[in-house]
Amino acid sequence: MSQTHRPRHYARRLITAALTVTIVAATAGWTVAHEEQAITGPPPGTSAWRADHSLPGAARQLPDPATVSPARIARFFAGLGAAQRRTLAVRHPQVVGNLDGAPLALRYAANARAIRAARAEERAADPHSPLVRRYTTLLSPGRRILAFDPRGRGQVAEVFGDLAAARRTAVVVPGSDIDLNAFDRDHDRYGTPVGMARSLRSRMAGEAPDTPTAVVAWVGYTTPAGLGPDAATSRLAEAGAPRLDRFLAGLAVTTAATAESPPTVFCHSYGSVLCGLAASAMDRTRVSDLVVLGSPGMRADSAEGLHTPARVWAARDSTDWIRRVTGYAFLGVGHGEDPTDRSFGARVVSADRAQGHTGYFAPGTDSLRNFARITLGRFDGVRCADRAEGAQDCRHDLI
């Protein structure tokens, strides 16, 4: 960074920080009343699961979802017969459906059962509830729901493609205002996890039609609602980071037999804050590449400071408003250095033709094409951001 640019850079940080703190202070009363309650811990129904001693012999003690690793859960299910697995899914659909390390097909079946039960309960309380329609949509034929938790604003994960057979996979981690209701909303198509995941998988199919691929849209944490202190601080990201870590550990044990590489993880907006906090646990058995887009910061001063061996990439289009709130952290407000800044050390890729904060996965954009090629490991086709934007060769040491 030039000596001329440095004072302006830090002046902008101080001004932005001061404005943000003023906004936070001015809305403190509203925030206390509406602060999001992070959903953490084991899935609903865990108490009944722990109390179930119906299986014979060594399988009598069911693994505790709160303490047992996904690897041990995978070994537990591998030791059961098909009928025993189905029995557990019928008795405890909410646990089995959210149990990282459990067989994928069993989780899909368990979550379908859990969603049907949630719909019946909601319909009995209010036949005209929007949730009834929401649950019915999730139960559409062909949908593979990998996680479902109706608590709070609701959490859900969906698979696009055959995850069990995929050679290349990706996980999409969204940002603020995303929950069960906004998971696949009709408007702002490419700003939803479903829209992002479908578009990315379609682009990968175009790039490599003979390569089996899958993309997971993961809303496994409580996201901030609106612009306010929850979005400006890391509280919800800190609560969600262990959940992402456990989810990725589960993918590692359930997809290792077919995958050529661990997943590429795409973190949008506030999701990149969560990914930054979870990055230190992202070893090369769980994540190959970490891509942040429209990021307000990753709670780190540099890519090296994330302490992950995964390759770190970043993208931001010139029309994204997030550029106005990056690059500072002050009294716990703000998320640190801009990942697209040269000093951060990420591999910055072009986002030409993307528009606004939610246009990165839109067809025809450089960002979508780059994302598909990163996931496929085709780094020679990745287009770096223009040097005028302050980026270095994003493909160094790759081709």
Side-chain angles (χ1 to χ4, degrees), residues 238-291:
E238 290 171 359
R243 298 174 75 84
L244 177 60
D245 174 42
R246 186 174 181 87
F247 176 75
L248 294 172
L251 284 189
V253 298
T254 52
T255 63
T258 57
E260 290 180 347
S261 171
T264 297
V265 178
F266 292 90
C267 312
H268 178 239
S269 194
Y270 188 84
S272 66
V273 182
L274 184 152
C275 289
L277 294 173
S280 61
M282 293 182 180
D283 62 35
R284 279 294 177 87
T285 67
R286 298 185 186 181
V287 177
S288 62
D289 296 85
L290 180 61
V291 186

Side-chain angles (χ1 to χ4, degrees), residues 68-348:
V68 175
S69 71
R72 285 187 59 190
I73 288 172
R75 290 195 294 270
F76 168 78
F77 278 98
L80 299 181
Q84 291 175 317
R85 294 181 188 182
R86 286 194 297 270
T87 296
L88 289 177
V90 169
R91 287 180 178 168
H92 310 284
Q94 289 184 306
V95 173
V96 174
N98 292 286
L99 206 54
D100 295 311
L104 297 173
L106 192 68
R107 289 181 67 173
Y108 300 151
N111 282 317
R113 178 176 289 273
I115 295 168
R116 284 195 294 269
R119 181 178 63 177
E121 182 178 346
E122 188 68 22
R123 182 178 282 156
D126 178 6
H128 304 292
S129 169
L131 272 178
V132 173
R133 294 190 297 274
R134 178 94 289 272
Y135 294 146
T136 298
T137 300
L138 291 178
L139 290 168
S140 299
R143 300 194 75 165
R144 295 182 172 101
I145 305 302
L146 188 59
F148 169 73
D149 187 340
R151 296 178 296 177
R153 287 160 46 213
Q155 297 179 8
V156 62
E158 183 171 6
V159 175
F160 298 87
D162 187 348
L163 188 57
R167 286 162 50 195
R168 291 282 176 168
T169 62
V171 176
V172 174
V173 180
S176 297
D177 296 313
I178 298 296
D179 50 24
L180 181 64
N181 197 46
F183 183 60
D184 56 355
R185 62 193 175 209
D186 293 331
H187 68 281
D188 191 21
R189 178 178 178 183
Y190 300 110
T192 70
V194 166
M196 295 178 191
R198 282 178 172 159
S199 185
L200 177 59
R201 184 161 184 268
S202 177
R203 181 67 204 193
M204 286 195 291
E207 293 275 344
D210 296 327
T211 301
T213 61
V215 182
V216 183
W218 182 84
V219 187
Y221 78 109
T222 303
T223 69
L227 294 175
D230 274 346
T233 63
S234 63
R235 181 180 67 88
L236 294 178
E238 290 171 359
R243 298 174 75 84
L244 177 60
D245 174 42
R246 186 174 181 87
F247 176 75
L248 294 172
L251 284 189
V253 298
T254 52
T255 63
T258 57
E260 290 180 347
S261 171
T264 297
V265 178
F266 292 90
C267 312
H268 178 239
S269 194
Y270 188 84
S272 66
V273 182
L274 184 152
C275 289
L277 294 173
S280 61
M282 293 182 180
D283 62 35
R284 279 294 177 87
T285 67
R286 298 185 186 181
V287 177
S288 62
D289 296 85
L290 180 61
V291 186
V292 297
L293 46 140
S295 172
M298 301 182 73
R299 310 296 291 192
D301 292 331
S302 65
E304 184 178 354
L306 295 172
H307 304 294
T308 175
R311 289 174 291 260
V312 181
W313 307 75
R316 189 179 68 220
D317 80 76
S318 60
T319 65
D320 190 341
W321 61 263
I322 202 75
R323 70 189 188 281
R324 303 184 186 277
V325 297
T326 58
Y328 76 93
F330 183 69
L331 297 179
V333 176
H335 303 299
E337 295 290 340
D338 178 357
T340 64
D341 192 277
R342 179 194 295 266
S343 65
F344 189 81
R347 305 168 189 269
V348 185

